[in-house]
Amino acid sequence: MKELLLALPHRDESYRVLIGPGLRLGLGYLLSPLDFPSRLFLISDSRVARLHGAAVQSALAEAGYTSTLLTTPPGERAKTWTVAQRLARELLRLGAHRASPLIALGGGVVGDLTGFLASIFMRGVPLIQVPTTLLAMVDAAIGGKTAINLPEGKNLLGTFHQPRLVVIDPDFLHTLPPKERLNGLAEVLKAGFIRAPDLLTYLETVGPSLFKNPAAVTDIIYRAAAIKAQVVAADEREAGLRRILNFGHTLGHALEQAAAFRLSHGRAVAFGMLAALILSEKLVGLPQEEAQRGRRLIQSFGLVRRAPALDLKAILAALPMDKKRLEKDLVFVLLRRLGEPVIQTGVPLTLIKEALRKVLGGGG
Ligand code: ADP
Ligand code: ZN
């Protein structure tokens, strides 16, 4: 088992992020030191509940916990106020109280929704994250951001609510569809680009057959999760450093929105990272061979095969900028070197368009 400690010094708080194959089967014992009441509530989507619910519940029972499993429909549509309210009412009916921990067992959607609920139910109850997708393991489950969606857009209602423990079992990924694995891989690449060129080298060495190598999977989860934990510990509320986690996301979010979310988050971010590499070369001196290296790596995992047919106007309209101030409001994370991010504002719209055309025209 590998272990990370996420310390939030200004609040004198910390929590552990545990990583290891098979950890889900010892979940009950991992919770014991936290002194929770013996009655626990698991929240999962119906798919994850069917695949993994029983094993996790018996692991809890083994350590003397009684658990109730509440489920949501799978996918982004569960991240709503309606579902959050329904879960809250079920929890009340089942006797949950102020000290009752909620365990999020699922991908980023379940984690965000459960975290959101845990932060407001009875003014806040303890949260444990047990991520089951690669994306959640390396990104969403660590750092305490929670959210639900509104009809106007994703993640518009949210809170910060740090978990008390994160338990990452890479064995959950055996049942995860390849498309979902790729989704998470984009965030692993991102972590490498902003902070760890050695992780990029490692990904180049293992290549796309990564998922056939369980030890390598555990290793990249550990490295990417460590980067996320470091960045969050330094800047919990995204006042500064945490912004670097948005590498590839400025355009990535706009692409997702322009595609009406038919484009997965991971692929959208991969296209966003390709464009950011081009802008980095043009604006902040990223050496051409490093940009080329980054491009090849993104392409080698099949993340940017078949560029989506999207209207440039629709993408630009989805960028978070004021019509009058235009690009002054847009914040890009660019790279001076691989592993050396810079926050850049005022990127000229003409350059953004050019980068998008290159990236979406040629695809990969
Ligand atoms: P993300 O983690 O990318 O935000 P979701 O939480 O929406 O995504 O999960 C993506 C999909 O994968 C959902 O349909 C969910 O039910 C499914 N899923 C999550 N974890 C697993 C797993 N370990 N095995 C199989 N399917 C899973
Ligand atoms: Zn992301």
Side-chain angles (χ1 to χ4, degrees):
M1 178 178 84
K2 295 176 188 247
E3 170 168 354
L4 299 162
L5 187 72
L6 204 160
L8 301 159
H10 56 292
R11 285 207 273 116
D12 206 12
E13 254 179 52
S14 66
Y15 58 93
R16 300 198 300 164
V17 179
L18 307 176
I19 302 149
L23 280 187
R24 71 192 185 290
L25 304 175
L27 183 63
Y29 295 108
L30 296 173
L31 292 180
S32 302
L34 296 174
D35 283 328
F36 291 134
S38 64
R39 182 82 197 281
L40 304 171
F41 298 90
L42 279 164
I43 298 180
S44 204
D45 70 36
S46 52
R47 186 164 179 200
V48 177
R50 178 165 43 77
L51 290 166
H52 300 288
V56 170
Q57 283 196 287
S58 51
L60 293 170
E62 216 177 292
Y65 292 105
T66 314
S67 64
T68 307
L69 176 60
L70 309 185
T71 60
T72 69
E76 200 65 38
R77 72 204 149 107
K79 268 173 69 172
T80 62
W81 191 251
T82 315
V83 174
Q85 177 172 317
R86 198 230 327 134
L87 290 170
R89 298 183 68 189
E90 272 179 53
L91 286 170
L92 286 175
R93 192 167 46 76
L94 292 162
H97 54 81
R98 273 171 34 198
S100 301
L102 303 188
I103 305 179
L105 174 69
V109 166
V110 166
D112 280 4
L113 171 71
T114 308
F116 182 73
L117 184 58
S119 72
I120 55 175
F121 184 72
M122 302 266 174
R123 299 206 173 82
V125 294
L127 169 70
I128 295 109
Q129 291 281 8
V130 184
T132 64
T133 64
L134 181 59
L135 185 135
M137 292 177 185
V138 299
D139 198 23
I142 303 168
K145 277 194 182 176
T146 88
I148 59 172
N149 303 330
L150 288 178
E152 284 79 3
K154 269 172 76 171
N155 299 334
L156 290 176
L157 294 180
T159 58
F160 283 96
H161 190 60
Q162 298 292 345
R164 299 283 303 277
L165 177 70
V166 182
V167 176
I168 301 179
D169 183 347
D171 283 349
F172 280 124
L173 302 181
H174 295 317
T175 55
L176 190 71
K179 188 178 137 258
E180 297 294 340
R181 284 189 210 148
L182 268 190
N183 219 4
L185 196 68
E187 305 288 357
V188 174
L189 285 165
K190 176 193 81 180
F193 279 122
I194 57 173
R195 204 108 173 135
D198 60 323
L199 176 55
L200 299 178
T201 311
Y202 186 77
L203 288 166
E204 283 165 342
T205 314
V206 287
S209 62
L210 165 70
F211 291 103
K212 297 198 184 90
N213 180 347
V217 171
T218 302
D219 217 22
I220 62 136
I221 293 171
Y222 173 72
R223 291 179 187 218
I227 291 166
K228 175 83 193 246
Q230 255 178 31
V231 171
V232 170
D235 173 26
E236 186 191 3
R237 300 273 164 145
E238 200 166 324
L241 184 72
R242 190 165 180 165
R243 291 189 296 176
I244 68 174
L245 295 170
N246 291 325
F247 179 65
H249 282 63
T250 308
L251 292 176
H253 284 145
L255 289 167
E256 264 185 298
Q257 203 175 318
F261 297 97
R262 284 183 313 271
L263 182 66
S264 74
H265 180 70
R267 292 192 67 223
V269 168
F271 284 107
M273 292 193 293
L274 281 184
L277 288 172
I278 296 174
L279 294 173
S280 299
E281 237 187 296
K282 286 249 154 74
L283 294 171
V284 296
L286 177 70
Q288 195 196 348
E289 62 281 6
E290 294 193 20
Q292 183 58 21
R293 196 183 145 201
R295 234 177 332 264
R296 271 205 213 103
L297 188 57
I298 296 169
Q299 287 165 349
S300 74
F301 283 96
L303 273 161
V304 288
R305 232 169 260 151
R306 288 175 294 107
L310 292 178
D311 180 29
L312 203 56
K313 275 211 198 79
I315 303 170
L316 297 175
L319 283 170
M321 60 185 175
D322 186 271
K323 295 287 169 294
K324 288 196 202 86
R325 290 166 49 84
L326 287 175
E327 57 264 55
K328 283 192 198 72
D329 285 341
L330 268 188
V331 181
F332 274 89
V333 180
L334 300 181
L335 303 176
R336 210 173 289 160
R337 303 289 308 266
L338 296 181
E340 275 179 39
V342 271
I343 304 293
Q344 188 83 11
T345 51
V347 175
L349 215 48
T350 48
L351 284 188
I352 298 174
K353 284 187 203 163
E354 192 186 308
L356 279 171
R357 272 198 210 98
K358 269 196 195 142
V359 163
L360 298 175

